[in-house]
Amino acid sequence: MIIFDCLKLFYTFFKIGLMGFGGGYAMMSMIMVECEKFSISAVQFADLNALDMIVPGPIAINAATYVGYLNSGFWGALAATVGVSLPSLILVSLVMAFINKYRENTIMSGVLNGIKPAAVGLIAAAALIVGLGVLMKPGMDRSMLLSDPMGSISFIIFGVFLATAVANIKFNVNPILLTVLAGVFGAVFSAAIG
């Protein structure tokens, strides 16, 4: 049974790696949709994003490894990681062989110009989905956001989000420092209320 699970993980992440234009964060919405097949919850995805901030490496590979491990342990992590990495290895090798020939091609430029805004849209969708999962109080459903927006959002978590965003965008504070500070705040806050 584990062989079938590993093949399914490999196939799923190979598809994601093959069609995931725009980088790891653009792939996140595809990863979220595909991983519903593996019963990965929104909370586990939020954990993945937090983990990705402290673990080195591309988010697509970290996500594949994480989901594969949750589903099938070490072998699942290996299958998903190889699956998401293999298309890039193949495609980049092919692109490098032909890049000089097609560098000025108007059709290729048009294709890339069409993909760029789609990639930004996918990044925004993933940020919104994960953001809602993180900012809402535990046990709240996204549908409750419309009926009771003030009762659905955790204001302390929202405050951490807002302070981090402002510190990074306006004051250019290092993201690693912000991640560490947010982790320390979370640990202290959890200990204080627990």
Side-chain angles (χ1 to χ4, degrees):
M1 192 66 168
I2 192 155
I3 292 173
F4 176 74
D5 290 340
C6 289
L7 288 173
K8 187 175 175 184
L9 282 162
F10 176 85
Y11 174 71
T12 298
F13 280 96
F14 186 86
K15 284 190 311 186
I16 291 168
L18 186 62
M19 300 308 295
F21 295 99
Y25 284 103
M27 290 176 167
M28 286 305 287
S29 60
M30 284 194 301
I31 293 170
M32 284 187 272
V33 168
E34 288 291 326
C35 289
E36 288 175 2
K37 300 172 187 172
F38 301 107
S39 301
I40 304 300
S41 71
V43 172
Q44 288 172 315
F45 253 95
D47 291 344
L48 164 65
N49 279 342
L51 185 64
D52 189 59
M53 294 300 292
I54 58 173
V55 175
I59 189 164
I61 292 174
N62 291 347
T65 305
Y66 178 78
V67 171
Y69 187 81
L70 287 178
N71 187 263
S72 299
F74 172 81
W75 296 110
L78 183 64
T81 302
V82 170
V84 81
S85 302
L86 194 57
S88 292
L89 178 68
I90 294 167
L91 291 174
V92 168
S93 298
L94 289 173
V95 166
M96 294 311 296
F98 296 103
I99 195 153
N100 288 332
K101 183 177 180 182
Y102 294 103
R103 186 179 301 261
E104 301 299 323
N105 185 301
T106 56
I107 294 172
M108 185 57 72
S109 293
V111 167
L112 293 175
N113 286 336
I115 289 173
K116 289 175 191 175
V120 172
L122 291 171
I123 293 168
L128 184 62
I129 291 167
V130 172
L132 286 177
V134 170
L135 297 176
M136 294 184 72
K137 291 178 181 173
M140 293 287 182
D141 187 67
R142 277 186 247 159
S143 63
M144 298 176 85
L145 190 61
L146 296 174
S147 61
D148 185 17
M150 299 307 278
S152 301
I153 300 292
S154 169
F155 289 104
I156 293 170
I157 300 299
F158 185 78
V160 171
F161 160 76
L162 195 59
T164 303
V166 168
N168 184 252
I169 294 168
K170 184 162 176 66
F171 300 108
N172 203 24
V173 177
N174 186 309
I176 296 170
L177 177 62
L178 291 172
T179 303
V180 170
L181 290 174
V184 168
F185 174 80
V188 169
F189 179 73
S190 294
I193 63 169

